[in-house]
Amino acid sequence: MMLNLNKGSNLPSEKTYDLIIIGGGPAGLTAGIYAGRSRLKTLLIEELVVGGQASTTERLENYPGFPDGIGGYELGLKMEEQAKKFGVEVLFGKVEKTELEGKFKNIYVEEKIYKSKSVIIASGATPRRLNVKGSEKFHGKGISYCATCDGALFTDKKIIVVGGGNSAVEEGLFMLRYTKDIIFVQDLPFLTAEKILQERLFENKDLKIYYNSEIISINGEDKIESMSVKDKKTNKNFDIQTDGIFVYIGLVPKTDFLDKNLSINEYGYIKVDNNMKTNLEGVFAAGDVIEKNFRQVITAASDGSIAAKSVEKYLENFKEV
Amino acid sequence: MSLLSEDDKKYLKELFKGMKKDVNILFFITEDKKLCMMCDDVKEILGDLKTLSDKIKVKELSFENDKDEVKKYDVRMAPSVVLLSDKDLGVKYYGIPGGYEFSSLVEDINDIGNDFISLDESVMDDVKSIDKDVHIQVFVTHTCPYCPSAVRTAHKFAMVNDKIKSDMIDANTFYEYADTYGVSAVPRVVINNKDFFEGSLPEREFLKRVLNSLK
Ligand SMILES: Cc1cc2nc3c(=O)[nH]c(=O)nc-3n(C[C@H](O)[C@H](O)[C@H](O)COP(=O)(O)OP(=O)(O)OC[C@H]3O[C@@H](n4cnc5c(N)ncnc54)[C@H](O)[C@@H]3O)c2cc1C
């Protein structure tokens, strides 16, 4: 049996922080490690679990330093431990609102306000929800976005994995331990996952992949019964019987709780410069939440370290009045 | 090899150091070997916990034979863990508190032993003022990182108000039971057998769902 022990959180001790980091995923935690080592009074606020999205994947195989891979949650816990070791305080709570424009920033967590001279937004992203006819009523009732969480509930059942990127293929491979009955539905004519993941997938000869497929609807009364799909090449519709659907079709950045004057792009990702600076003074952003091309643990960590370094620079010239 | 590492033990010993009150852990085992597949592991862990603080007391009971206790604590399935202070708090685990839920168990023990429940003041007041019976069931899997936060919120609510009872239920162990509630994503929280939601919610939002369900 596996035991996961979350080594607790301390209560905030300061009235005003040098830095508040929003989000305890790889970006926020790495920013914390660097800020702590720069001796900034730092508070990191996390709503759910340290490790962020990475905690929902069983094994990371491409994060350097772990030739046999490392558990996503385990890596998150280790990063947290490392940040705390350098003096970062970790608070569990949801940031509901921010006031980022003044010299001192106000961060609202449930009923309290925390003040800080600077902020790093590392709130990451959440899975994009499947939005087709019939999908709404099956969210949490057969449509899932977390194979690690819900996979075992589909033991020996028929499932469909939607998507063809890294997450889809990784999690589809993970699901093979619970059921052999897996069908992939991908809208492009090919998969976009890393080649090594594709190879592993193709080793499973029985596994069916529908390419060029557009999902038309999810059908069923109380339970999911089938998915209707259109073959975009032939324009023909067909149905696939299924009990569950695991969806990996990209991300939506978590920026809805932030100041409206923060500059974001048309998809909601925060715009930053090379130093992770946003358009607001003293406000930086890092990780999956920023506009960029490649969203991984290592790139999130990299952004986080740069953001922390920029904060340190910013605070050198910070005058209290 | 022991399930808890030396590091973990050191951490827990330090954590439990200041506990003032006794924490009584009742572990109900069952003769159903399939359900109790990991019961020996739990025994080992509880045995370890006992050595880490003299405030932690563990008692092993049989679901089939210890009828009085089963009735007294309203234990409906086993294996299960019931946590008590000097009184019944309405805090239960159906299925074993393993994987991510081990953290829930540790934090529950810590709250009970320190007689301090970390709820936001205003949330606390509202939870305390509930005067109707509430039964919260939180369905989880051991591999769900989002689940402990839902379990903990439900358990904290139970600890501060006698009217509230809350159970963690491992949807894998009690697959059929979970199926009757249509659980296919976790955490799934069921309030008074009629209202439900998926996912972890902040304490205040969670409370709102409970209050709405009482209307
Ligand atoms: C299924 C899956 C598999 C993956 N596999 C890999 C892989 O093998 N290798 C790899 O490198 N990457 C992988 N990734 C991608 C990787 O997990 C992400 O790129 C990385 O986690 C991004 O880190 P982040 O810190 O920017 O954001 P996130 O991980 O999204 O973390 C953001 C954190 O902020 C918190 N937060 C958000 N809003 C608030 C708020 N208002 N208040 C408080 N806290 C808040 C969230 O709860 C979250 O914990 C995978 C992702 C998924 C979903």
Side-chain angles (χ1 to χ4, degrees):
Chain A
M1 183 170 69
M2 177 188 73
L3 293 179
N4 286 308
L5 184 56
N6 181 3
K7 303 215 165 129
S9 68
N10 5 43
L11 284 176
S13 66
E14 303 286 336
K15 286 224 166 61
T16 303
Y17 286 87
D18 292 327
L19 167 64
I20 288 181
I21 300 169
I22 304 173
L29 291 169
T30 309
I33 293 167
Y34 279 78
R37 291 177 63 81
S38 300
R39 293 292 182 235
L40 304 181
K41 276 188 289 184
T42 305
L43 177 68
L44 182 149
I45 306 170
E46 166 57 49
E47 177 188 354
L48 292 167
V49 281
V50 291
Q53 292 166 73
S55 71
T56 67
T57 192
E58 206 210 12
R59 204 137 270 276
L60 299 164
E61 292 187 355
N62 49 12
Y63 191 75
F66 302 95
D68 300 319
I70 180 164
Y73 182 66
E74 192 188 345
L75 182 65
L77 282 183
K78 282 192 187 297
M79 287 182 175
E80 183 197 18
E81 194 182 329
Q82 200 173 350
K84 278 185 175 167
K85 188 170 138 191
F86 299 123
V88 173
E89 294 175 27
V90 177
L91 171 74
F92 282 92
K94 179 180 178 155
V95 175
E96 270 154 9
K97 199 177 99 176
T98 58
E99 286 163 3
L100 300 173
E101 291 200 74
K103 203 153 179 110
F104 287 90
K105 324 291 180 195
N106 293 323
I107 306 296
Y108 293 73
V109 180
E110 279 152 40
E111 257 111 279
K112 294 202 179 61
I113 303 175
Y114 297 94
K115 283 192 179 299
S116 180
K117 295 176 191 165
S118 66
V119 170
I120 294 177
I121 302 161
S123 47
T126 48
R128 179 179 298 284
R129 282 162 80 103
L130 187 64
N131 185 11
V132 299
K133 196 171 147 234
S135 62
E136 201 45 49
K137 74 172 182 185
F138 293 117
H139 284 296
K141 288 199 210 106
I143 298 181
S144 170
Y145 300 87
C146 179
T148 352
C149 308
D150 305 330
L153 303 171
F154 291 86
T155 304
D156 295 330
K157 295 206 169 155
K158 287 190 177 64
I159 66 151
I160 292 174
V161 175
V162 181
N166 274 349
S167 295
V169 175
E170 251 174 42
E171 302 309 304
L173 285 165
F174 170 80
M175 282 305 294
L176 279 169
R177 72 178 66 179
Y178 298 118
T179 175
K180 298 280 161 266
D181 232 322
I182 303 181
I183 290 172
F184 274 74
V185 172
Q186 156 75 326
D187 63 349
L188 298 173
F190 46 84
L191 300 176
T192 58
E194 293 171 343
K195 287 287 179 291
I196 185 168
L197 293 173
Q198 296 192 30
E199 283 163 21
R200 268 185 231 160
L201 194 68
F202 297 146
E203 276 168 21
N204 299 280
K205 296 272 179 292
D206 306 335
L207 207 138
K208 176 102 193 101
I209 306 174
Y210 289 107
Y211 295 101
N212 287 311
S213 299
E214 182 187 330
I215 300 171
I216 304 297
S217 64
I218 312 297
N219 321 311
E221 285 292 315
D222 301 328
K223 288 184 169 178
I224 295 183
E225 283 156 23
S226 67
M227 175 190 270
S228 300
V229 175
K230 179 167 102 183
D231 184 327
K232 290 196 281 191
K233 259 173 137 175
T234 60
N235 263 330
K236 283 215 173 79
N237 285 9
F238 59 99
D239 281 4
I240 310 170
Q241 306 299 313
T242 192
D243 300 307
I245 301 172
F246 286 81
V247 181
Y248 296 96
I249 51 172
L251 300 170
V252 182
K254 275 199 182 172
T255 46
D256 55 345
F257 61 99
L258 295 164
D259 286 46
K260 296 293 160 264
N261 290 334
L262 187 73
S263 192
I264 55 177
N265 75 8
E266 55 183 314
Y267 304 104
Y269 290 104
I270 300 173
K271 291 185 180 173
V272 292
D273 69 9
N274 287 340
N275 299 314
M276 305 297 143
K277 249 167 78 175
T278 70
N279 64 317
L280 302 179
E281 201 179 307
V283 180
F284 304 79
D288 275 15
V289 77
I290 67 170
E291 183 174 59
K292 64 173 174 179
N293 291 329
F294 194 42
R295 293 191 169 80
Q296 288 282 284
V297 174
I298 183 120
T299 58
S302 162
D303 296 344
S305 69
I306 295 168
K309 221 51 204 163
S310 299
V311 166
E312 193 186 3
K313 271 227 176 83
Y314 172 73
L315 291 178
E316 275 166 16
N317 301 314
F318 186 90
K319 300 206 176 52
E320 299 275 326
V321 278
Chain B
M1 206 189 76
S2 142
L3 286 160
L4 278 174
S5 71
E6 286 311 310
D7 252 16
D8 290 344
K9 284 186 196 161
K10 217 170 93 192
Y11 168 79
L12 290 172
K13 195 164 187 163
E14 188 60 29
L15 182 73
F16 294 147
K17 201 174 59 185
M19 293 202 307
K20 299 180 288 280
K21 285 181 89 178
D22 279 354
V23 183
N24 292 295
I25 306 177
L26 308 183
F27 179 37
F28 287 86
I29 54 168
T30 165
E31 283 158 18
D32 185 329
K33 287 267 160 7
K34 215 175 130 228
L35 289 178
C36 234
M37 217 156 56
M38 292 200 269
C39 286
D40 285 342
D41 287 353
V42 180
K43 283 184 204 168
E44 182 191 319
I45 293 163
L46 293 179
D48 279 347
L49 290 181
K50 213 167 52 179
T51 65
L52 297 173
S53 163
D54 55 6
K55 295 287 175 215
I56 299 178
K57 321 268 180 211
V58 179
K59 195 165 170 191
E60 197 184 301
L61 295 153
S62 152
F63 184 60
E64 284 82 12
N65 301 326
D66 293 310
K67 293 261 169 12
D68 290 350
E69 280 84 356
V70 165
K71 192 157 169 238
K72 181 169 175 200
Y73 298 109
D74 188 26
V75 178
R76 287 168 293 124
M77 304 181 287
S80 48
V81 172
V82 179
L83 294 184
L84 315 165
S85 56
D86 42 15
K87 59 170 189 177
D88 188 356
L89 297 164
V91 172
K92 289 196 189 79
Y93 292 83
Y94 286 111
I96 64 173
Y100 289 114
E101 292 310 324
F102 183 57
S103 283
S104 303
L105 178 72
V106 166
E107 288 168 27
D108 278 350
I109 292 175
N110 199 37
D111 279 2
I112 299 170
N114 286 305
D115 203 10
F116 175 80
I117 294 141
S118 57
L119 276 174
D120 200 80
E121 256 166 67
S122 70
V123 174
M124 178 92 88
D125 290 344
D126 290 351
V127 175
K128 278 187 175 154
S129 68
I130 293 175
D131 57 3
K132 294 190 189 117
D133 287 326
V134 177
H135 182 208
I136 308 172
Q137 303 185 79
V138 184
F139 290 90
V140 305
T141 61
H142 287 168
T143 48
C144 157
Y146 302 122
C147 291
S149 117
V151 171
R152 281 283 294 150
T153 303
H155 278 174
K156 284 196 245 179
F157 286 5
M159 286 178 202
V160 299
N161 187 331
D162 290 344
K163 289 271 176 205
I164 305 174
K165 313 241 168 289
S166 65
D167 310 332
M168 177 216 84
I169 298 161
D170 173 18
N172 280 330
T173 306
F174 300 109
Y175 190 78
E176 275 154 33
Y177 182 70
D179 210 36
T180 62
Y181 286 91
V183 177
S184 62
V186 287
R188 168 175 268 225
V189 179
V190 179
I191 303 167
N192 283 346
N193 271 329
K194 59 184 177 80
D195 295 304
F196 59 85
F197 62 88
E198 264 89 36
S200 282
L201 291 179
E203 284 159 1
R204 172 145 296 285
E205 287 300 311
F206 198 126
L207 173 64
K208 259 191 213 152
R209 302 298 180 107
V210 173
L211 294 175
N212 281 342
S213 158
L214 294 176
K215 273 182 195 153

